[in-house]
């Protein structure tokens, strides 16, 4: 009988099925099934009635589950004691989050980090246009969730998290939105393009493209850019999630501009390559993962994989 078997058993009871437990505790369904079978074999009793769609506890299973809850409660208390005594390292972690990161990504990571490290103080700061990366470089954050903004700094290492689609958009009733499609570059030279200013120290990198010779208005962060576009003061490229509601209701439309290919804002988990990392920061770095099949052009939520 192992602690992992008890945890698998408890998860199936809590979530009602092997499949549901699998998605919640980040173990494969076959491994959970195997753990429960091994547990039943060890104690010599069936724990579940396997009639019907939902697994129901047998009478012995109910009694056994009560004991398991006590054991897991004690294990959690011991784990918390070790953390308080500093045996597992630093008790807080600071994550700098770029404002362009979709909320679904951020909420998913926060929830799962909190579950994995329940006694840890998680400090989140929202940064704009490169400042999240700068905080890591300055040692003011353990990790950052951010685009790289063209940085090639060899002192950082980055793990790709998600691709966020970027589209040129404008109000549906604007002049540019009603030009013949595809829109020719010459036709929009007099239309104000809202662009992000070039980042100092990031190889002249900016987000998206700027039309040479066109009227433009430069801003320093994505939220200001969004506000100006939604106010009808110009057009520009925005991450899909920032205008999803407006696109759905039709108040904002995407622009079909000639020779304008698909663009995406690549999101990374970033940390300093050198230096000492706390056990918690190392654990988060190791466990944040996006399966390859989810690396599509949509704002998929990162997942934490089970770490050995």
């Amino acid at each position: 009988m192992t602690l992992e078997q008890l945890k698998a058993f408890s998860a199936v009871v809590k979530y009602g099925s092997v499949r549901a437990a699998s998605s919640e505790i980040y173990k494969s369904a076959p491994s959970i099934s195997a753990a429960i079978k091994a547990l039943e074999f060890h104690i010599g009793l069936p724990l579940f009635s396997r009639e019907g769609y939902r697994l129901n506890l047998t009478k012995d299973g109910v009694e056994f589950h009560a004991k398991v809850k006590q054991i897991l409660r004690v294990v959690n208390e011991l784990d918390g004691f070790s953390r308080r005594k500093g045996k597992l390292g630093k008790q807080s972690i600071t994550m700098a989050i770029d404002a362009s990161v979709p909320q679904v990504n951020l909420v998913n990571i926060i929830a799962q980090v909190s579950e994995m490290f329940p006694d840890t103080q998680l400090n989140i700061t929202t940064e704009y246009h490169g400042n999240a990366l700068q905080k890591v470089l300055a040692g003011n954050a353990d990790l950052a969730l951010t685009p790289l903004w063209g940085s090639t700094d060899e002192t950082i290492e980055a793990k790709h998290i998600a691709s966020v689609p970027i589209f040129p958009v404008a109000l549906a009733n604007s002049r540019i939105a009603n030009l013949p499609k595809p829109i020719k570059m010459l036709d929009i030279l007099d239309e104000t393009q809202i662009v992000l200013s070039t980042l100092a120290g990031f190889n002249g990198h900016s987000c998206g493209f700027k039309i040479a010779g066109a009227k433009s208005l430069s801003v320093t962060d994505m939220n200001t850019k969004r506000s100006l576009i939604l106010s009808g003061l110009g057009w520009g490229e925005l991450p899909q999630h920032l205008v999803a509601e407006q696109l759905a209701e039709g108040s904002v439309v995407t622009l079909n501009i000639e020779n304008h290919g698909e663009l995406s804002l690549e999101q990374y988990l970033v940390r300093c390559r050198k230096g000492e990392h706390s056990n918690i920061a190392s654990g988060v770095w190791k466990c944040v993962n996006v399966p390859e099949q989810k690396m599509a052009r949509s704002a998929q939520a990162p997942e934490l994989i089970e770490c050995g």
Side-chain angles (χ1 to χ4, degrees):
M1 184 185 307
T2 68
L3 181 59
E4 290 304 310
Q5 290 171 354
L6 297 181
K7 288 181 177 179
F9 167 73
S10 179
V12 172
V13 174
K14 180 178 180 179
Y15 299 109
S17 70
V18 171
R19 183 175 181 179
S22 173
S23 64
E24 292 293 333
I25 66 174
Y26 306 99
K27 283 186 174 294
S28 68
S31 69
I32 293 177
S33 296
I36 291 175
K37 288 179 181 178
L39 193 57
E40 290 178 321
F41 178 81
H42 179 82
I43 64 177
L45 294 169
L47 298 173
F48 291 101
S49 170
R50 291 170 170 81
E51 299 177 359
Y53 176 76
R54 184 181 176 89
L55 291 176
N56 296 308
L57 288 171
T58 62
K59 182 178 179 181
D60 291 324
V62 172
E63 294 181 13
F64 186 75
H65 181 237
K67 299 293 184 183
V68 169
K69 287 197 297 183
Q70 294 177 7
I71 292 172
L72 294 181
R73 187 179 301 115
V74 171
V75 169
N76 287 335
E77 290 174 356
L78 289 173
D79 186 49
F81 174 82
S82 297
R83 292 178 189 279
R84 287 190 295 274
K85 292 298 183 180
K87 301 300 183 183
L88 295 181
K90 189 177 178 181
Q91 292 305 297
S92 68
I93 181 173
T94 298
M95 296 184 67
I97 311 297
D98 190 88
S100 67
V101 173
Q103 288 296 308
V104 63
N105 292 21
L106 178 58
V107 170
N108 183 269
I109 287 180
I110 291 175
Q112 295 180 68
V113 170
S114 298
E115 182 176 349
M116 290 182 65
F117 305 103
D119 298 309
T120 297
Q121 175 66 43
L122 181 59
N123 303 310
I124 300 291
T125 68
T126 301
E127 307 295 336
Y128 294 94
H129 207 29
N131 285 337
L133 189 54
Q134 294 284 22
K135 279 210 163 189
V136 169
L137 291 171
N140 295 324
D142 299 287
L143 300 167
L145 189 58
T146 177
L148 293 183
W149 303 111
S151 174
T152 56
D153 195 316
E154 294 183 356
T155 64
I156 63 170
E157 56 181 326
K159 179 187 290 188
H160 189 258
I161 293 298
S163 297
V164 179
I166 298 177
F167 300 110
V169 296
L171 289 184
N173 60 3
S174 63
R175 176 182 176 278
I176 188 173
N178 292 281
L179 290 173
K181 311 299 187 295
I183 302 171
K184 298 185 180 301
M185 291 291 185
L186 289 176
D187 292 338
I188 55 176
L189 293 180
D190 291 330
E191 304 294 329
T192 301
Q193 182 184 7
I194 313 296
V195 298
L196 287 179
S197 59
T198 300
L199 287 170
F202 288 87
N203 301 322
H205 182 85
S206 186
C207 175
F209 81 115
K210 182 176 183 297
I211 297 179
K215 291 172 58 179
S216 65
L217 177 59
S218 180
V219 298
T220 59
D221 67 87
M222 197 73 75
N223 285 339
T224 300
K225 181 178 181 179
R226 174 183 181 272
S227 296
L228 293 176
I229 293 173
L230 295 185
S231 298
L233 298 178
W235 69 276
E237 294 163 313
L238 287 174
Q240 183 182 32
H241 67 279
L242 290 183
V243 285
E245 181 179 342
Q246 290 78 13
L247 288 170
E249 67 186 18
S251 60
V252 168
V253 295
T254 58
L255 303 175
N256 180 6
I257 301 174
E258 67 174 357
N259 301 322
H260 185 284
E262 292 186 347
L263 296 175
S264 63
L265 191 59
E266 306 303 323
Q267 306 281 351
Y268 294 86
L269 187 67
V270 177
R271 69 177 180 181
C272 284
R273 188 176 299 278
K274 296 182 179 180
E276 184 176 344
H277 302 288
S278 70
N279 286 343
I280 295 169
S282 296
V284 173
W285 176 267
K286 179 180 178 183
C287 297
V288 172
N289 183 63
V290 178
E292 286 300 318
Q293 64 269 24
K294 291 193 175 184
M295 297 299 292
R297 289 185 55 78
S298 61
Q300 294 284 358
E303 300 177 356
L304 292 184
I305 61 173
E306 187 69 22
C307 298

